[in-house]
Amino acid sequence: MTDIVQLQRGPDPLDGIALTLDHALLAAIAQVTSGLSPATMMLAFLDWSTHLGVSPGKRLELAGKAYRKCHRIADYAVRRIGHEDAEPAIDPLPQDHRFDDPAWKQFPFDLISQSFLLTQQWWHAATTAVAGVSRHHEEMVSFAARQLLDVAAPTNFLATNPVLLRRVAETGGKCLLDGAQHWFEDAGRLMRGEPPVGVEQFRPGKTVAVTPGKVVYRNRLIELIQYAPATETVRPEPVLIVPAWIMKYYILDLSPENSLIRWLVGQGYTVFAISWHNPGTSDRDLDMDDYRRLGPMAALDVVTAITGSDKVHGVGYCLGGTLLAIAAAAMAQEHDERLASITLLAAQTEFSEPGELGLFIDESQINLIENMMWSRGYLDSQQMGGAFQILRSNDLIWSHLLGTYLMGEREPMIDLMAWNADGTRMPYAMHSQYLRELFLGDDLAEGRFKVDGRTITLSSLRQPMFVVGTERDHVAPWRSVHKIHWLTSAAIRFVLTSGGHNAGIVSEPGHPHRRYHVATRALDDPAVGPDEWMEQAEQREGSWWIEWGRWLDEHSSEPGSPPPMGGAEKGFAALGDAPGNYVLET
């Protein structure tokens, strides 16, 4: 018996082989499916179809809806005879601009488009509100149905798209030849691993990321940039910007006219920004705590040493904002009071309702992503970008394919698009921890997230906070961002700005059609839900940057002389000009 126990306690020689085989197969599956778990999709459709099959009332309801929709389109067809301005059977959703062109009101394209919209509406009813289906599976099935319908939309085909037919007639078919040329050019660039056409016009340090500054610190994960003052006096409290490492930092320093960093320097602040290293295979074991220690915590030490200030305004964007909140909570436990204020830009701290991005987050999906990262040690930017594109397939996929390859009209490259094509990677350990502990487990909000072995809580945050959400954010939905109100009793000025995750943040003064809502929750006041907040908030025209600038001034001391650029005597001599080396890593 003792011998048997000893044998059982010893390692099984097949364990390593079995694990490697599993990793290899799942990694291959992930490459084919772009990281989408077939198991999750099959379970979702099985859940939906089974419950729909045992719901005769729901099926009867859907049959009735199908009959009424057929009647509506037939009624419209009859009413339209001799009356081109007849009331349509259905109107597109406000965010659906595929049928805006007047050509879609002409026969027979009006019947085609309205039949499609009615079909789309029916499938929404069919994939939702089926009793017994889990919420996650319902969302997945509904999302998949929308994706398939988007593929079959009449806008995507020559014979059913009047705008495309008109373009072909106007150009004598040349637009199709131009589109084919664009396709071959793009396909060639993709196979050679080259960026999209026009990106070369926006090179960091040449045309974007040109705000003057110096790299004053470097470690294996970050370069810290200090920007040169643009005013005779500056506020004593410097600003430290922690961008997300899922993107390159210069989203906040694009062209001079829309650079948030340049604008902030011009308001009389000493600005520091982290530029993250683009990780490779050797960085596979970097985790969230490494990013915290080597990122904002290391940067804070340098910023306070160079400026001599014991107070710093912390600013975090997207995932960088989540990390800043984690760092601030850990600092509160250590009674480290160096943060004068916290600004979170489109950053989530509570992940129970992450929006449609949650479609890609469950145990099976994460297991597949982990195996996809296993072989190389990181998640590639193209794999991440594909998920974001699917979330907005109408805007980012089908409209692009239609305009570029069928209409023959290549959209001019702009700085924001070029930046978006300049992707980064996510290291294996960090991304796995991020998905499991924050997205899947919601550990940060529920009091289970640990730093240095100790559980941290956002309720310890007492600094004034400025939090920005964006109306059309598909990465960090504003209602999710707003939940910071429930996690801390700190004073919060919450701003909801027009635009999406990126364009809503890059919203310089003077940008047309910009607006925002704003309301302030005082220290220790009770929180209200997002809908109640919207009812109470004041709407203002223009850029939210102005609001933020006023708020920063309220929480800063009187201006004085600018600090030195770097500090050789303190070990922080300038290592080179901004934007540094890490931003150029591919």
Side-chain angles (χ1 to χ4, degrees):
M1 179 65 72
T2 303
D3 293 338
I4 293 175
V5 172
Q6 288 176 344
L7 286 173
Q8 289 176 339
R9 287 176 178 173
D12 189 331
L14 291 178
D15 284 350
I17 297 174
L19 189 61
T20 301
L21 286 174
D22 289 347
H23 279 319
L25 177 59
L26 289 169
I29 292 173
Q31 292 294 334
V32 173
T33 64
S34 298
L36 295 177
S37 170
T40 292
M41 294 302 301
M42 287 188 291
L43 287 171
F45 276 95
L46 181 62
D47 188 7
W48 168 73
S49 60
T50 301
H51 283 93
L52 183 61
V54 296
S55 302
K58 178 69 173 180
R59 298 201 307 274
L60 180 63
E61 176 189 352
L62 292 173
K65 286 180 179 292
Y67 171 78
R68 289 192 296 274
K69 291 183 189 305
C70 290
H71 181 269
R72 283 167 63 183
I73 195 67
D75 175 68
Y76 170 75
V78 172
R79 287 187 291 105
R80 193 204 177 285
I81 298 175
H83 299 86
E84 294 187 0
D85 58 346
E87 185 73 19
I90 184 173
D91 290 317
L93 295 171
Q95 67 271 22
D96 188 352
H97 300 287
R98 289 174 292 182
F99 307 107
D100 285 353
D101 194 286
W104 285 104
K105 292 181 170 56
Q106 303 300 314
F107 180 84
F109 303 108
D110 53 349
L111 293 178
I112 293 172
S113 63
Q114 290 181 50
S115 296
F116 170 78
L117 292 172
L118 288 168
T119 302
Q120 184 175 258
Q121 191 180 66
W122 184 88
W123 271 105
H124 175 73
T127 55
T128 58
V130 179
V133 179
S134 74
R135 178 180 174 184
H136 182 58
H137 286 164
E138 177 184 283
E139 290 172 345
M140 290 200 70
V141 172
S142 181
F143 178 78
R146 290 201 306 275
Q147 297 304 307
L148 293 173
L149 286 166
D150 287 344
V151 172
T155 48
N156 298 335
F157 302 96
L158 177 62
T160 55
N161 187 331
V163 181
L164 179 55
L165 288 171
R166 183 179 64 206
R167 173 73 174 164
V168 171
E170 290 173 350
T171 63
K174 186 176 181 297
C175 65
L176 299 177
L177 294 176
D178 292 340
Q181 183 178 355
H182 295 330
W183 185 88
F184 281 112
E185 183 177 18
D186 291 347
R189 282 176 171 261
L190 183 63
M191 288 187 290
R192 293 190 298 270
E194 297 176 359
V197 174
V199 166
E200 59 276 0
Q201 303 171 32
F202 299 95
R203 297 174 56 195
K206 302 296 183 181
T207 50
V208 292
V210 295
T211 302
K214 298 287 184 182
V215 176
V216 294
Y217 174 75
R218 180 185 295 124
N219 62 30
R220 66 171 294 195
L221 194 54
I222 72 165
E223 287 181 333
L224 183 64
I225 301 170
Q226 179 183 1
Y227 290 93
T231 54
E232 291 185 2
T233 60
V234 298
R235 299 283 181 170
E237 297 84 1
V239 176
L240 172 61
I241 296 176
V242 184
W245 51 95
I246 198 173
M247 56 180 73
K248 292 194 175 178
Y249 87 92
Y250 67 92
I251 176 66
L252 302 176
D253 188 24
L254 288 172
S255 302
E257 63 272 12
N258 62 1
S259 166
L260 176 61
I261 289 175
R262 180 181 289 263
W263 177 84
L264 190 56
V265 170
Q267 302 306 300
Y269 284 90
T270 301
V271 179
F272 292 80
I274 289 175
S275 175
W276 297 99
H277 162 59
N278 196 6
T281 302
S282 62
D283 302 305
R284 64 182 299 127
D285 294 326
L286 289 171
D287 60 15
M288 287 289 289
D289 203 53
D290 292 319
Y291 271 78
R292 180 190 66 86
R293 288 186 302 101
L294 299 173
M297 298 312 298
L300 266 174
D301 292 339
V302 178
V303 170
T304 54
I306 290 176
T307 63
S309 174
D310 59 355
K311 292 291 185 180
V312 177
H313 294 301
V315 181
Y317 181 21
C318 184
L319 181 51
T322 306
L323 183 66
L324 178 63
I326 292 171
M331 290 170 66
Q333 281 197 339
E334 300 293 333
H335 304 289
D336 184 341
E337 300 179 348
R338 286 179 292 174
L339 288 177
S341 71
I342 298 172
T343 296
L344 302 180
L345 309 178
Q348 291 172 283
T349 50
E350 204 278 355
F351 293 84
S352 65
E353 295 179 317
E356 288 192 329
L357 201 58
L359 294 168
F360 305 102
I361 308 297
D362 59 32
E363 188 63 45
S364 179
Q365 297 276 15
I366 293 177
N367 180 55
L368 199 67
I369 292 172
E370 287 174 337
N371 282 281
M372 184 163 58
M373 296 188 291
W374 167 79
S375 59
R376 289 184 293 184
Y378 58 80
L379 186 68
D380 189 76
S381 61
Q382 291 184 344
Q383 293 159 338
M384 290 185 290
F388 293 135
Q389 285 188 325
I390 290 174
L391 292 179
R392 297 176 57 203
S393 58
N394 276 341
D395 297 332
L396 300 180
I397 298 179
W398 302 115
S399 63
H400 169 72
L401 295 178
L402 173 65
T404 306
Y405 304 137
L406 293 178
M407 304 284 282
E409 300 172 333
R410 188 182 290 283
E411 187 177 1
M413 184 63 66
I414 61 173
D415 52 7
L416 189 59
M417 293 168 58
W419 163 85
N420 193 55
D422 191 8
T424 58
R425 296 177 287 272
M426 304 282 270
Y428 174 81
M430 184 286 305
H431 198 50
S432 175
Q433 183 183 8
Y434 173 58
L435 293 177
R436 286 192 175 279
E437 295 186 15
L438 295 181
F439 263 99
L440 190 61
D442 203 14
D443 288 0
L444 181 60
E446 296 184 9
R448 293 187 300 270
F449 193 87
K450 293 185 177 181
V451 172
D452 289 335
R454 298 172 59 187
T455 302
I456 63 168
T457 172
L458 297 181
S459 63
S460 62
L461 301 182
R462 303 290 288 175
Q463 302 94 331
M465 304 181 71
F466 190 95
V467 182
V468 180
T470 63
E471 290 179 348
R472 300 194 306 275
D473 201 323
H474 60 289
V475 178
W478 79 266
R479 284 178 168 80
S480 179
V481 173
H482 182 273
K483 289 186 177 183
I484 186 67
H485 287 81
W486 303 103
L487 304 178
T488 174
S489 57
I492 299 176
R493 183 167 300 181
F494 190 85
V495 166
L496 177 62
T497 182
S498 55
H501 187 71
N502 297 322
I505 300 301
V506 183
S507 182
E508 71 281 2
H511 194 295
H513 312 302
R514 291 301 192 204
R515 69 185 186 284
Y516 62 92
H517 291 78
V518 59
T520 300
R521 196 272 304 273
L523 180 68
D524 292 327
D525 272 8
V528 297
D531 294 327
E532 293 86 352
W533 177 91
M534 179 64 89
E535 292 175 0
Q536 298 173 10
E538 177 185 352
Q539 179 173 331
R540 298 176 182 174
E541 298 299 319
S543 169
W544 65 267
W545 293 11
I546 304 298
E547 185 75 28
W548 183 43
R550 287 195 294 260
W551 182 85
L552 279 176
D553 290 346
E554 293 170 9
H555 295 90
S556 300
S557 305
E558 290 301 314
S561 299
M565 292 293 291
E569 72 284 355
K570 300 174 183 176
F572 303 118
L575 304 176
D577 293 331
N581 298 329
Y582 283 176
V583 74
L584 302 177
E585 293 177 330
T586 58

